[in-house]
Amino acid sequence: LLSHTLLEFEMATQMGCSPAAVRAALLLLVVAAGASVAGATYVRYKDPKQPIQARVADLLGRMTLEEKIGQMTQIERANASTAVIEKYFVGSVLSGGGSVPSEKASAATWQEMITKMQKAALSTRLGIPIIYGIDAVHGNNNAYNATIFPHNVGLGATRDPDLVKLIGRATALEARATGIPYTFAPCVAVCRDPRWGRCYESFSEDTKLVQLMTAAVIPGLQGAARHPTGIPVVAGPKNVAGCAKHFVGDGGTRHGINENNTVLSFHDLMRIHMPPYYDAVIKGIASVMISYSSWNGVKMHENKYLITQILKDKMRFRGFVITDWQAVDKITTPPHKHYYHSIQETIHAGIDMVMVPYDYPEFVADVTAQAKRGAINMDRINDAVTRILRVKFAMGLFENPLPDHTLVAQLGSKPHRELAREAVRKSLVLLKNGKGKKDGKPVLPLSKDAKKILVVGTHAHDLGLQCGGWTKSWQGQSGNDFTGQGTTILEAIKSAVDKKTVIDYSEHPDKGSISKNLDDYDYGVVVVGEQPYAETAGDNQNLTIPGPGPEVIRKVCELVKCVVVLVSGRPLVVEPYLDTMDALVAAWLPGTEGHGVADVLFGDYGFSGKLPRTWVRSVDQLPMNYGDKLYDPLFPFGFGLTTKPAADRS
């Protein structure tokens, strides 16, 4: 129409037609040009006023096979160059544990990196934005200066879903501060054996408590909005898409061995491990991550019955299903054997997005080849891409693909740190509070105006040990210089006591030096526990307190009235030392806000935490959980002494 009208306009002017005829031809030209421009610019999938399903269908109908496979591919940040994103039409990028744009990168630096990647995606033929994901499992824990909240086991001890919802909201803001719209959280595992290296990622051994926290944290992360059951919902650009993991039964493996086999009847799997996923789906969770583990010998990543028939069909989950890190490789022994066949098995089982951090060229080539020869069903590929696009549209990624510069100040903000401090206070579980030998009063709360106190132990002045795994790096690390901000327990004690109080501090004190000052010490605080760990590296078949913890406990507590603060991701064997201790506090992995520990030790707030899991006497009793017929714990599930705040000492 436009070219035809242009020709008529040229002829009218060249032939010397009347001004009216020329004006008519010009008017027709303007109308035709407008119609042409409108026809070229209006694309249904880009119209936010259209229903999501209509947008998805329109976009899917425009996509080539290569573009569809690109959407199913998630690669590691280190490989996500502009050239790679454009060549492979990459649909998603992630940061593995500790994968950062630079050492101590600022929020602005994170945003710059993600903006560059996003612009590369937007420059492709269809302009489909990437979704960037990260393991923000206790705050945006990869980022320097982020607020590090207590791990899930500590949040389970709070029994406070409103608090957990607020933590989800704060985590979302701190992720968005770095430009990240997607987190691989929450972990909704029901940990049935504390020997498992991921047990601290579980809220509890009790299914109902895990359900309670799951139903709270997802609206915190994704925002609360009305939605049909199972339809992903991300309320706005200050929320993030979440990911319930690891589907299903990862917390029930034999002997608590990571990625091992969960041997259970279908009834018990549904009764113990599946209910939190019902809550996640009802709350509109955007994605579900599959577990490395097996159920009765079948790898979960190839379990079509549970992924497709149960999760997608019966539970009506409408988000996308994602693999764990290089998980397609791991369905065979050795890994990557018969990879071509493994891809076919996992995609047909119901996997939608595949985490292939490094081997994406091989993955894309194999999927393409199998799709072209019919070995991978195109209906399955279309379903996978539909689900991924549905989430991207639902979270507003097409309308707001780039990071929001106004949110950078949310990273490590004061309100978030105060929230974390509150979470620490509420997570502490008081297991013993004996009476002092001299005054006959309970040891806790401690006196702030003591003349001289002793603070000892490896975990008293170490933020890395205090935070545990998944902090700045995958396995976590020791030290005080990599989180950017935070308060150690020692620093918190120093700020809590009277300025005149003398504090002697030592990681590993000499018994002779303690004896020399014995009459001067009002009391001692012993802070010991586990070294940081994550996943398989944290599997532990003995659960003893690592050295020199037991030796330090004996040295101090045999001589001085003492409180032992145990920093760990799970219950440890403490019975051999319990009689020596005057008081015992389970602090779990409290994160950066050590002030929360001092707040309760010194009575500004009372102890209120309750055990989220059974505290066994010895590992010989494992697995042992609340409700078992043979149940003889050292401290039962739900146990926790309470105290009232001390009188104002000011």
Side-chain angles (χ1 to χ4, degrees), residues 282-324:
I282 289 168
K283 292 296 181 180
I285 192 70
S287 66
V288 170
M289 183 182 290
I290 305 302
S291 174
Y292 286 126
S293 60
S294 304
W295 174 50
N296 295 335
V298 178
K299 288 281 189 180
M300 274 305 311
H301 277 84
E302 57 178 345
N303 196 316
K304 185 175 182 178
Y305 173 65
L306 289 176
I307 297 172
T308 296
Q309 292 179 239
I310 299 296
L311 178 64
K312 290 185 172 181
D313 295 344
K314 192 165 186 177
M315 294 168 60
R316 298 188 60 78
F317 171 60
R318 294 293 178 263
F320 65 84
V321 171
I322 186 171
T323 73
D324 208 328

Side-chain angles (χ1 to χ4, degrees), residues 76 187 485 521:
E76 218 287 323
C187 177
Q485 60 180 346
Y521 292 128

Side-chain angles (χ1 to χ4, degrees), residues 28-43:
L28 185 60
L29 174 63
V30 171
V31 171
S36 176
V37 170
T41 56
Y42 181 77
V43 179

Side-chain angles (χ1 to χ4, degrees), residues 253-485:
T253 58
R254 279 193 163 179
H255 307 296
I257 297 172
N258 193 42
E259 304 180 21
N260 202 11
N261 191 24
T262 298
V263 180
L264 278 179
S265 67
F266 177 75
H267 172 76
D268 283 342
L269 185 74
M270 295 297 108
R271 177 178 63 87
I272 297 170
H273 298 282
M274 190 64 80
Y277 289 95
Y278 281 101
D279 290 272
V281 170
I282 289 168
K283 292 296 181 180
I285 192 70
S287 66
V288 170
M289 183 182 290
I290 305 302
S291 174
Y292 286 126
S293 60
S294 304
W295 174 50
N296 295 335
V298 178
K299 288 281 189 180
M300 274 305 311
H301 277 84
E302 57 178 345
N303 196 316
K304 185 175 182 178
Y305 173 65
L306 289 176
I307 297 172
T308 296
Q309 292 179 239
I310 299 296
L311 178 64
K312 290 185 172 181
D313 295 344
K314 192 165 186 177
M315 294 168 60
R316 298 188 60 78
F317 171 60
R318 294 293 178 263
F320 65 84
V321 171
I322 186 171
T323 73
D324 208 328
W325 179 276
Q326 292 184 311
V328 172
D329 303 58
K330 290 191 173 188
I331 69 170
T332 59
T333 303
H336 206 74
K337 186 179 182 181
H338 308 308
Y339 185 61
Y340 194 83
H341 177 70
S342 296
I343 290 172
Q344 182 187 136
E345 285 291 303
T346 51
I347 290 177
H348 280 162
I351 299 296
D352 303 313
M353 184 179 286
V354 182
M355 198 182 289
V356 276
Y358 308 116
D359 297 330
Y360 56 92
E362 180 183 7
F363 169 77
V364 168
D366 285 357
V367 177
T368 303
Q370 293 194 61
K372 285 182 176 178
R373 70 180 181 87
I376 293 179
N377 194 308
M378 275 306 301
D379 287 344
R380 179 73 273 280
I381 289 177
N382 287 337
D383 174 59
V385 178
T386 293
R387 289 169 174 275
I388 293 164
L389 294 179
R390 183 184 291 138
V391 170
K392 289 186 176 183
F393 282 120
M395 63 191 296
L397 203 54
F398 281 78
E399 287 67 56
N400 298 290
L402 300 179
D404 183 347
H405 300 304
T406 67
L407 295 178
V408 293
Q410 295 288 342
L411 188 68
S413 70
K414 187 175 180 180
H416 294 166
R417 295 186 69 188
E418 286 299 320
L419 180 64
R421 182 172 178 170
E422 178 186 355
V424 175
R425 289 196 295 263
K426 292 182 175 180
S427 70
L428 301 181
V429 180
L430 180 57
L431 298 175
K432 180 180 179 180
N433 192 18
K435 295 181 179 180
K437 300 175 182 67
K438 295 180 181 179
D439 55 17
K441 295 180 180 179
V443 174
L444 293 168
L446 298 172
S447 171
K448 289 185 177 182
D449 55 6
K451 290 183 179 180
K452 191 173 186 179
I453 62 176
L454 178 65
V455 180
V456 300
T458 50
H459 290 58
H461 189 47
D462 194 310
L463 280 173
L465 303 187
Q466 197 170 295
C467 292
W470 292 109
T471 308
K472 192 61 167 56
S473 60
W474 175 38
Q475 292 292 325
Q477 60 198 80
S478 176
N480 290 329
D481 62 347
F482 66 89
T483 59
Q485 60 180 346

Side-chain angles (χ1 to χ4, degrees), residues 428-567:
L428 301 181
V429 180
L430 180 57
L431 298 175
K432 180 180 179 180
N433 192 18
K435 295 181 179 180
K437 300 175 182 67
K438 295 180 181 179
D439 55 17
K441 295 180 180 179
V443 174
L444 293 168
L446 298 172
S447 171
K448 289 185 177 182
D449 55 6
K451 290 183 179 180
K452 191 173 186 179
I453 62 176
L454 178 65
V455 180
V456 300
T458 50
H459 290 58
H461 189 47
D462 194 310
L463 280 173
L465 303 187
Q466 197 170 295
C467 292
W470 292 109
T471 308
K472 192 61 167 56
S473 60
W474 175 38
Q475 292 292 325
Q477 60 198 80
S478 176
N480 290 329
D481 62 347
F482 66 89
T483 59
Q485 60 180 346
T487 305
T488 67
I489 294 172
L490 173 65
E491 290 169 337
I493 290 172
K494 287 181 176 178
S495 66
V497 297
D498 190 277
K499 292 181 179 180
K500 296 179 181 178
T501 300
V502 176
I503 298 176
D504 278 355
Y505 163 68
S506 173
E507 274 193 31
H508 194 174
D510 176 75
K511 195 169 184 178
S513 64
I514 298 174
S515 300
K516 191 182 299 181
N517 295 280
L518 190 58
D519 293 336
D520 297 333
Y521 292 128
D522 289 69
Y523 52 81
V525 180
V526 180
V527 192
V528 294
E530 294 184 294
Q531 295 293 311
Y533 56 81
E535 301 188 45
T536 303
D539 288 352
N540 187 330
Q541 295 300 306
N542 59 56
L543 296 182
T544 54
I545 300 174
E551 184 184 352
V552 172
I553 291 171
R554 286 198 173 103
K555 278 182 181 178
V556 176
C557 294
E558 286 177 358
L559 298 172
V560 181
K561 180 171 69 174
C562 77
V563 177
V564 175
V565 178
L566 187 62
V567 178

Side-chain angles (χ1 to χ4, degrees), residues 230-246:
I231 301 298
V233 54
V234 181
K238 293 182 180 180
N239 297 100
V240 294
C243 180
K245 65 183 187 183
H246 310 83

